[in-house]
Amino acid sequence: GSIWKTNFEGNLPCLQHNFSRTNWWKRKNKNSDFRGFGIEMFYQKKGIPEENEIVICTVKKILPHGVFVGLDEYKDKEGLIHISEISPGRVRNIRDFVKEGKRIVCKILKINLERNHIDLSLRRVTQSQRINKNTSYKQEQKAEKILEVLSKRLEISLEEAYKLIGYSLIERYNSLYDAYEEIIVNPKIIYIIF
């Protein structure tokens, strides 16, 4: 967002300075893990993604004919978005569409296990898929934050909290957020799970 102030000559607003959310986060949390506009999550899936899966990526390196991205939801996985998969029209400058450090939503096109290559597409993701993926990712970040608060109250690390309850909830409900929603509806589930 932008900060608007009225100028001293009149009541008209003038743009004083353009602070992005990322700059605000960097100033507020200088020692935190920071990539893109959000917080890097502790939990990351193991293995490889499936073809046609919608994933959250962070732009790592921009080249003349493609973009290297890190798959945020998968541990130590990177992929490539070819210039033809950036936008439906002609792309003269890739930097008009993506910037290093920016978090984007992509679709997995092809996975080559022998060469360890993952091809992705930015243009094949619909607006509704993008919104749904961003929403679910933010919900999962909030759910992890709840687990982090619990771990601090129990005076254990977040990793220990995942080992204690987090991984079993994810295994049973596919995500922490879905598990929390189920617990809210039926609190007796906690005794069944543990």
Side-chain angles (χ1 to χ4, degrees), residues 21-35:
R21 286 174 48 184
T22 56
N23 288 339
W24 171 83
W25 179 260
K26 283 180 186 176
R27 288 193 311 275
K28 189 172 188 310
N29 300 302
K30 290 178 182 166
N31 297 327
S32 68
D33 260 355
F34 172 79
R35 287 179 24 180

Side-chain angles (χ1 to χ4, degrees), residues 42-119:
F42 175 81
Y43 175 74
Q44 293 181 326
K45 298 175 188 174
K46 293 179 176 129
I48 57 168
E50 297 176 9
E51 288 186 8
N52 297 320
E53 183 179 342
I54 305 296
V55 293
I56 298 277
C57 304
T58 300
V59 177
K60 295 207 175 219
K61 189 173 185 180
I62 300 173
L63 300 173
H65 297 290
V67 177
F68 282 100
V69 295
L71 279 66
D72 294 352
E73 298 169 283
Y74 289 88
K75 190 170 186 152
D76 300 326
K77 295 293 177 200
E78 290 189 349
L80 174 71
I81 307 171
H82 189 265
I83 191 169
S84 64
E85 293 296 331
I86 299 286
S87 178
R90 182 165 182 238
V91 177
R92 292 173 191 244
N93 186 3
I94 293 178
R95 293 183 188 275
D96 291 340
F97 298 93
V98 293
K99 297 191 179 351
E100 287 183 6
K102 183 178 178 184
R103 188 161 286 159
I104 56 176
V105 179
C106 297
K107 183 175 188 174
I108 305 286
L109 293 180
K110 190 169 51 173
I111 299 171
N112 186 338
L113 295 174
E114 295 170 4
R115 299 176 74 190
N116 202 21
H117 285 189
I118 300 174
D119 293 330

Side-chain angles (χ1 to χ4, degrees), residues 144-187:
E144 186 173 271
K145 194 68 175 169
I146 291 170
L147 191 64
E148 186 179 333
V149 168
L150 176 67
S151 70
K152 286 181 182 176
R153 286 201 179 162
L154 295 174
E155 296 179 355
I156 59 175
S157 69
L158 182 57
E159 184 178 0
E160 290 172 313
Y162 264 106
K163 288 177 183 174
L164 187 65
I165 58 172
Y167 292 133
S168 60
L169 289 174
I170 291 169
E171 188 177 315
R172 187 171 179 145
Y173 295 100
N174 295 324
S175 75
L176 284 176
Y177 186 82
D178 292 342
Y180 295 163
E181 280 190 332
E182 191 64 34
I183 291 168
I184 289 169
V185 172
N186 188 2

